[in-house]
């Protein structure tokens, strides 16, 4: 009897330890060092362990679709808002009315509380000054510049089927060309001749520019401001015709295994402490309690297009299919 009692206590203790070691599953599209800084601080403050994985926005959306019947993560932090809107439309995320939402203006969150914006990141061009000088080219300052023959094989950008950044480039061009999709794809086909490769992640091309692997890249400003602050000899420019921007967002995964802790993390990411960490990443925060890093660009400095994010999300599959058919499949 005594042995049975001891065995029972051991079993209970083992189950308690195992339960205590469970981790909240998180998908993130934040740049990995930012994700680590953010999640390490959360674990330090709360004691709640996170099992997080960094994926591009397109990869997270595809992963959520594949895991729809048995979700492996409970929350998605970061990533282009269009991916979050698309995920909502596909029934992959769940609404959550966080007590912290009042700090985020209505234009930067879903009216039904499926997603909330964290920060804005405008699309830019980044040029390695040393490599550009050696190759006799100047930093591009317009979308038209990117089609010039001197940039042939000298531009890098992400693949829109895996990167929300690159899909944002397509939608931006649609606004630049007044909604004329034929002009957009004519442009993209011409641009393809100057692209050396399409990367999986939207931040990767800028990193390649920073180390001199390629002279020019297209990406989000904050990723490239960070590289410049860290010592990369680069010039950041914005297209004179107008540029688009991401609203990096956050969503609860529908049917995730740990909705309670997912909501705790969601609330914390919208807190002053987390917003301070996010703002340090040279982005343009949207929360009223966040302060912009003085080294970051502001929207008032940049000519932007008038984006309709709901249209962009609703037409994503169609536009990507056309891109694959006309451009991606020919690579």
């Amino acid at each position: 009897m005594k042995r049975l009692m001891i065995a029972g206590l051991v079993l209970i203790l083992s189950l308690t330890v195992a339960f205590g070691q469970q981790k909240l599953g998180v998908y993130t599209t934040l740049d990995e060092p930012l994700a680590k800084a953010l999640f390490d601080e959360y674990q330090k403050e709360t004691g709640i362990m996170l099992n997080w994985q960094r994926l591009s926005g397109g990869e997270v959306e595809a992963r959520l679709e594949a895991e729809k019947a048995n979700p492996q993560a409970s929350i998605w932090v970061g990533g282009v808002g269009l991916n979050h809107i698309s995920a909502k439309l596909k029934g992959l995320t769940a609404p959550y009315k966080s007590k912290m939402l009042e700090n985020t203006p209505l234009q930067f969150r879903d009216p039904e509380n499926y997603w909330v914006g964290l920060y804005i990141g405008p699309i830019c061009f980044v040029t390695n000054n040393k490599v550009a000088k050696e190759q006799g080219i100047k930093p591009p300052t317009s979308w038209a510049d990117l089609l010039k023959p001197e940039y042939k094989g000298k531009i890098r950008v992400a693949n829109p089927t895996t990167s929300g950044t690159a899909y944002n480039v397509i939608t931006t061009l649609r606004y630049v060309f007044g909604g004329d999709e034929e002009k957009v794809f004519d442009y993209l086909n011409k641009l393809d001749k100057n692209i050396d490769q399409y990367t999986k992640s939207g931040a990767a091309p800028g990193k390649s520019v920073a180390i001199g692997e390629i002279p020019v890249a297209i990406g989000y400003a904050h990723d490239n401001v960070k590289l410049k602050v860290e010592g990369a000899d680069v010039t950041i420019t914005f297209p004179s015709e107008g540029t688009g921007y991401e609203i990096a967002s956050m969503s609860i995964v529908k049917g995730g295994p740990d909705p309670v802790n997912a909501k705790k993390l969601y609330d914390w990411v919208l807190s002053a402490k987390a917003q301070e960490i996010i703002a340090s990443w040279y982005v343009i925060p949207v929360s009223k309690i966040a302060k912009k890093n003085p080294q970051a660009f502001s929207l008032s400095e940049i000519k932007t297009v008038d984006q309709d994010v709901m249209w962009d999300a609703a037409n994503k599959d169609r536009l990507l299919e056309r891109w694959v058919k006309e451009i991606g499949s020919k690579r």
Side-chain angles (χ1 to χ4, degrees):
M1 182 70 178
K2 190 174 181 180
R3 289 182 179 178
L4 286 174
M5 289 178 66
I6 292 173
L9 288 171
V10 170
L11 178 60
I12 291 171
L13 181 60
S14 299
L15 289 173
T16 302
V17 172
F19 180 79
Q21 289 177 338
Q22 287 183 343
K23 297 181 179 182
L24 174 66
V26 181
Y27 288 146
T28 183
T29 313
L30 298 172
D31 203 28
E32 193 160 334
L34 171 57
K36 186 178 188 306
L38 194 68
F39 298 145
D40 281 356
E41 182 62 27
Y42 179 74
Q43 292 177 161
K44 177 183 174 183
E45 284 191 21
T46 67
I48 298 172
M49 301 304 292
L50 305 178
N51 179 20
W52 61 274
Q53 184 175 4
R54 200 279 174 192
L55 300 166
S56 70
E59 288 177 310
V60 175
E61 190 177 336
R63 183 77 63 90
L64 293 180
E65 279 195 272
E67 297 171 351
K68 188 174 183 178
N70 183 30
Q72 299 301 297
S74 298
I75 185 171
W76 175 12
V77 182
V80 178
L82 294 177
N83 287 117
H84 288 263
I85 296 172
S86 179
K88 171 194 173 181
L89 296 174
K90 294 175 181 177
L92 304 174
T93 55
Y96 173 48
K97 192 171 183 179
S98 169
K99 60 187 178 182
M100 302 297 292
L101 285 180
E102 63 183 19
N103 295 315
T104 304
L106 291 172
Q107 66 264 39
F108 299 123
R109 53 186 166 100
D110 182 62
E112 298 176 306
N113 301 315
Y114 275 80
W115 55 268
V116 61
L118 302 177
Y119 62 79
I120 289 172
I123 295 171
C124 74
F125 308 143
V126 59
T127 305
N128 184 299
N129 295 321
K130 182 175 181 292
V131 176
K133 185 176 180 180
E134 291 172 349
Q135 298 187 7
I137 59 175
K138 295 180 179 180
T141 59
S142 67
W143 292 108
D145 280 349
L146 298 185
L147 301 188
K148 292 179 178 179
E150 55 262 40
Y151 293 102
K152 185 175 178 61
K154 302 182 188 300
I155 303 171
R156 190 167 293 180
V157 68
N159 186 314
T161 66
T162 59
S163 165
T165 308
Y167 178 63
N168 200 178
V169 170
I170 295 176
T171 58
T172 294
L173 289 167
R174 180 179 172 274
Y175 296 110
V176 168
F177 288 113
D180 190 329
E181 290 181 23
E182 296 309 312
K183 288 184 178 178
V184 172
F185 278 89
D186 177 64
Y187 177 93
L188 290 170
N189 272 285
K190 291 175 180 175
L191 178 64
D192 181 61
K193 295 178 174 61
N194 288 352
I195 301 296
D196 83 313
Q197 68 172 263
Y198 295 95
T199 62
K200 183 181 291 185
S201 163
K207 293 175 182 178
S208 297
V209 166
I211 63 174
E213 187 176 313
I214 191 80
V216 179
I218 306 170
Y220 283 129
H222 51 270
D223 291 323
N224 296 297
V225 170
K226 177 180 180 292
L227 295 171
K228 186 173 183 177
V229 170
E230 291 176 346
D233 181 21
V234 298
T235 293
I236 297 170
T237 53
F238 295 90
S240 58
E241 302 95 332
T243 194
Y245 54 87
E246 69 165 326
I247 304 174
S249 303
M250 177 171 60
S251 299
I252 297 290
V253 176
K254 185 177 181 179
D258 193 351
V260 173
N261 279 321
K263 290 174 182 177
K264 288 180 181 178
L265 175 58
Y266 193 107
D267 291 341
W268 184 84
V269 170
L270 296 177
S271 72
K273 179 61 178 179
Q275 289 296 311
E276 180 184 343
I277 295 171
I278 291 171
S280 70
W281 215 248
Y282 314 110
V283 299
I284 305 170
V286 298
S287 173
K288 296 174 184 176
I289 60 175
K291 295 181 180 179
K292 184 181 77 68
N293 187 311
Q295 292 178 296
F297 288 98
S298 63
L299 285 184
S300 61
E301 301 175 69
I302 304 162
K303 181 180 178 180
T304 58
V305 296
D306 186 13
Q307 299 182 148
D308 180 349
V309 293
M310 292 304 296
W311 189 97
D312 296 342
N315 287 273
K316 181 179 178 182
D317 288 345
R318 179 180 63 81
L319 292 174
L320 290 181
E321 284 175 11
R322 181 169 180 181
W323 184 89
V324 170
K325 181 180 179 181
E326 296 186 19
I327 299 168
S329 63
K330 297 176 181 179
R331 276 267 162 174

